[in-house]
Amino acid sequence: MTIILGGGISGLSAAYYAAKNAKITSINLLEASNRLGGWIRSRVSPNGAVFEQGPRTIRLVGAAGKNTLDLVEDLQLTDKLIHIELNHPAVKNRLIYSDEILHLLPTSLAGFFKTTSLLNRSLISCIWSDLRAPKVSKEDESIHSFFQRRFGQDVADNLISPIICGICAGDAREISVKFLFKSLFEAEQEHGSVVKGMLLNRLQRSKKGDSAGTSDAESAVPHGGLAARAQAERWTSWGLQGGLEQLPQTLADSLKERGVEIQTGKKCEKLTFKPDHVELSVNSGGTRECSRVISSICAKDLAELVQEQHPTLSAELKAIPTVTVAVVNLEFQENVLPLQAFGFLIPPKENLPLLGVIFDSCVFPQKSTVLTVMMGGAWFEKYFGPNPTEEQLLKTATDHTRDILCIEEEPVARNVAILKDCIPQHVVGHTQRVKRIREYIFEHRIPLGLCGSSYDGVGLNDVILSAKQVVRDIVK
């Protein structure tokens, strides 16, 4: 028997790929909470608006993005899919709020040559900065340090730092550039310049074919008709009518039809690896046995389960931190947006509790205006303390959003959620840490597979592909 820990999108995906593999005959998924889907959660307001507490769009990037579309096609969700193309306002218009002004990022070639209000210089001058900057050989460094060296302090503070807030709610001064921007980091290390390296790599890929530069996991992914259509029509991202939570819900239904046993309210409290099987202590006393375990739960939670038997492994897992994000959904009856856009992000130097605001009703049109306010992240306790009330979070989100967007109307509906420890932080040294974790498991012959956002990326495409890869690995 294979037991999968965690009923979020990664655990459900691992169960799905395992159920399709003829070498795996018995699968049991254990979820500690009373619901499936993890951080993907869609709610409907009294007026029929869709509130997303977690992700709402999935980007179509590389083979991992195509793999997710293959999953959607397999689950027969194609009819519910809503896609965004290159000319959509949510793609063309992206904003950063700095110095009490909303700045529109350049999206055309001409914009690169014009002075950008966010930087007080043109983006082409930033490229010139990189071409002149000396190469510094490093094993890894923070994203902020890397972009400050190569492109300037203003780029690191005003442009890159808010983008990192949007990606992982994290501090660019701590997140690993080698992990999150691997191609840019390697371009400098190999060619002495990010711009020069990226241009040379693109030329090499065009000569060798599109598959050059992809990972083994990505190149092994076959793609179906939906992915081919998305590429032909130049989709950038997509979502689902009625909310993204339909993806894990449909996955769970499919698993039950395939004979996978899914149990909620079942918390694993300890893992003990015996010579010929694994013992799981579940719900304070119950014991399960299986031949292997796939863990999709947060690394620091897994660390507690293996602490007694494998303290070295536990220490490495505990070193992958997480952050908490407060999400506030606001619905307004009228159109209160200054322009149609994806939304805006806020640099940490502004010392505001908001990370950014997504214009949901622009991304996917609704009858009313729907906004999602993201707050806290790496600075959650700084602004809110350890236990803020929902009323405190709602007031903070509403007041700041109304001030920034000059909204006079009161929201007609609202929703507040605190997503505790929801996003792992891939800090400097993360790549080497994950390598040590997997080498330890291999060298000690532990029947344990790892997937989920703690290791190979926080995006939905990343965790779904990691689930597919872990199933491929355990049957070898």
Side-chain angles (χ1 to χ4, degrees), residues 233-360:
E233 296 178 1
R234 303 181 75 186
W235 299 4
T236 62
S237 56
W238 56 271
L240 294 173
Q241 294 175 8
L244 198 59
E245 191 174 355
Q246 292 173 92
L247 178 57
Q249 288 174 344
T250 306
L251 256 176
D253 292 340
S254 175
L255 292 174
K256 292 172 185 176
E257 292 175 0
R258 293 173 177 269
V260 175
E261 184 180 0
I262 299 176
Q263 295 178 295
T264 58
K266 299 294 182 182
K267 182 179 181 180
C268 180
E269 297 171 339
K270 184 179 177 182
L271 289 174
T272 305
F273 299 96
K274 302 288 187 178
D276 59 349
H277 69 280
V278 186
E279 290 183 359
L280 298 86
S281 299
V282 180
N283 286 15
S284 301
T287 302
R288 306 282 182 93
E289 291 188 3
C290 65
S291 56
R292 66 174 71 91
V293 171
I294 296 176
S295 173
S296 72
I297 62 177
C298 181
K300 70 175 188 177
D301 291 337
L302 177 61
E304 298 298 326
L305 308 186
V306 300
Q307 167 68 42
E308 184 176 323
Q309 191 176 18
H310 294 284
T312 301
L313 175 60
S314 178
E316 293 281 19
L317 292 166
K318 284 180 181 176
I320 301 175
T322 58
V323 297
T324 296
V325 178
V327 176
V328 178
N329 308 105
L330 300 173
E331 180 185 8
F332 297 90
Q333 197 64 51
E334 305 298 328
N335 178 19
V336 297
L337 299 178
L339 79 163
Q340 294 294 291
F342 185 83
F344 63 87
L345 296 169
I346 302 177
K349 71 179 184 64
E350 295 297 312
N351 290 314
L352 291 174
L354 275 63
L355 300 167
V357 177
I358 299 172
F359 301 171
D360 293 87

Side-chain angles (χ1 to χ4, degrees), residues 293-450:
V293 171
I294 296 176
S295 173
S296 72
I297 62 177
C298 181
K300 70 175 188 177
D301 291 337
L302 177 61
E304 298 298 326
L305 308 186
V306 300
Q307 167 68 42
E308 184 176 323
Q309 191 176 18
H310 294 284
T312 301
L313 175 60
S314 178
E316 293 281 19
L317 292 166
K318 284 180 181 176
I320 301 175
T322 58
V323 297
T324 296
V325 178
V327 176
V328 178
N329 308 105
L330 300 173
E331 180 185 8
F332 297 90
Q333 197 64 51
E334 305 298 328
N335 178 19
V336 297
L337 299 178
L339 79 163
Q340 294 294 291
F342 185 83
F344 63 87
L345 296 169
I346 302 177
K349 71 179 184 64
E350 295 297 312
N351 290 314
L352 291 174
L354 275 63
L355 300 167
V357 177
I358 299 172
F359 301 171
D360 293 87
S361 50
C362 175
V363 180
F364 299 128
Q366 303 194 46
K367 293 180 181 179
S368 53
T369 301
V370 179
L371 309 177
T372 298
V373 186
M374 302 169 295
M375 303 189 297
W379 304 271
F380 190 89
E381 289 208 15
K382 172 185 175 180
Y383 291 113
F384 302 114
N387 297 298
T389 65
E390 290 191 1
E391 290 76 14
Q392 176 188 352
L393 296 171
L394 177 60
K395 186 177 189 311
T396 302
T398 304
D399 289 350
H400 282 287
T401 301
R402 290 178 66 185
D403 287 346
I404 293 170
L405 297 176
C406 301
I407 299 173
E408 297 181 358
E409 180 184 337
E410 290 291 332
V412 295
R414 54 196 66 79
N415 181 66
V416 180
I418 301 175
L419 311 183
K420 185 171 175 55
D421 298 327
C422 62
I423 307 180
Q425 302 292 282
H426 302 138
V427 297
V428 174
H430 180 78
T431 300
Q432 288 301 111
R433 173 167 290 110
V434 171
K435 181 180 179 183
R436 292 194 299 270
I437 288 171
R438 290 192 162 126
E439 285 178 347
Y440 183 97
I441 292 172
F442 178 78
E443 290 168 0
H444 289 78
R445 298 182 178 275
I446 304 173
L448 173 66
L450 304 177

Side-chain angles (χ1 to χ4, degrees), residues 43-159:
R43 294 179 178 270
V44 179
S45 80
N47 310 301
V50 177
F51 288 165
E52 295 284 14
Q53 290 185 186
R56 75 257 308 123
T57 60
I58 301 180
R59 296 180 64 205
L60 183 60
V61 179
K66 295 175 183 177
N67 176 69
T68 304
L69 282 181
D70 290 343
L71 177 62
V72 168
E73 193 168 23
D74 288 346
L75 295 172
Q76 300 180 2
L77 281 170
T78 306
D79 291 344
K80 294 186 177 182
L81 190 145
I82 319 168
H83 68 271
I84 298 174
E85 298 178 8
L86 277 172
N87 60 354
H88 195 284
V91 178
K92 295 168 62 177
N93 299 328
R94 292 174 181 260
L95 305 162
I96 289 179
Y97 181 74
S98 180
D99 297 324
E100 300 184 352
I101 298 172
L102 285 171
H103 303 264
L104 184 63
L105 296 178
T107 56
S108 65
L109 182 60
F112 277 72
F113 291 89
K114 296 178 181 178
T115 298
T116 302
S117 60
L118 192 64
L119 305 176
N120 292 320
R121 59 179 173 136
S122 66
L123 289 178
I124 199 70
S125 72
C126 302
I127 294 174
W128 180 242
S129 297
D130 170 68
L131 293 172
R132 291 186 302 165
K135 171 189 172 182
V136 178
S137 297
K138 288 178 175 281
E139 179 62 33
D140 195 2
E141 70 179 307
S142 76
I143 289 173
H144 188 279
S145 171
F146 177 82
F147 278 91
Q148 182 181 359
R149 283 195 305 102
R150 303 293 331 165
F151 299 97
Q153 177 86 26
D154 54 349
V155 172
D157 285 346
N158 299 335
L159 185 58

Side-chain angles (χ1 to χ4, degrees), residues 6-24:
I9 189 64
S10 184
L12 291 169
S13 298
Y16 182 79
Y17 292 122
K20 294 181 68 176
N21 193 303
K23 296 181 180 179
I24 303 176

